[in-house]
Amino acid sequence: MIKPEEVKETIVPAGRSKAWNFHPKLPIEMSPVFDNPPKPKAALKWLLGAWFKISPPVNHMIFALIAITFLWPSQSEMQTLSLDWMLQIAAVLFGSIILLGTILHLYLYVFAGQKMRLKFDVRPMERSSRFTFGYQVWDNVFWALASGTVSLTLWTLLYFYLAANGWIPTLDSFSASPVWFILFFFVIRFWQSFHFYWIHRLIHMPWLFKKVHHLHHRNVNVGPWSGLAMHPVESFFYFSAILIHFVLPSHPLHVIFHMFSLSLGALISHAGFDKILVRNKETLNAGSFHHQLHHRYFECNYGSEEIPLDRWFGSFHDGTEEATLRIRARKKLIFAPK
């Protein structure tokens, strides 16, 4: 476990913000895919770097391929409501979340596999009465499983039951439409960013924030289990991103990949560390500093880097001190007495 004395090892390099133990080069940038005028080379470079190296999307695809090849029930089984196939899918989803969440937490926070290196926030996990069970980790594990993963499972079960019965459009195989099969994975990533931004803006409305989203935002300093630690209303809306598959023809691999992107991706993006180090080598992209800024300053960075909606709507925090002052002034306006 990370010990208090190890925090003293943290040295903020010259030119870095003292507000953080570590942060990437500032100012951080959004995806250039939607830049005007277009920058095709920069956009391609960003896509290859963000999606096709050893990074979260690649890992989601690996999990999805394993699930659909070895663990998923057949279409014929899913045509009737049966506990057998429903529990089978639930076991795959819960098992994946528990496996990845446990590995990340043990490596980064219990065994301190890379100590404080590349950790964004200097603070450890909290013990406080504002958390369920009085401890941030147990609070996050409980809500991630009892709310986040339950919503993930219910939405997934609904989709596969409807798809198996032919009540929504489906894609039977790669050969049926090769171009759409590949293109749709890109559509999913951008749809996920678009959907997340607007759902996130919705639950930041003061009355919904107070009743619902505050549970997730108790985590100012996040860890892997914080990613799915949500109020049931929030997790219901969050996983409603699956509704795109109720409208556009999808192969089961698209849907499983998408749901793993939403669930496993939330664990990784909330890891609290920029990258996973193994034997002092950068092995895997991990936490999102873009989203870490949201957890600290609240009224900024509602979306993700894929679509620059935050930049277009004035809520982008690029990590600089100037942006912090601007976002704090914006927050005062939002919560000013009417």
Side-chain angles (χ1 to χ4, degrees), residues 158-169:
L158 176 62
Y159 169 82
F160 278 98
Y161 175 65
L162 296 178
N165 284 281
W167 296 334
I168 53 178

Side-chain angles (χ1 to χ4, degrees), residues 20 48 184 223 255:
W20 302 96
L48 292 174
F184 196 29
V255 182

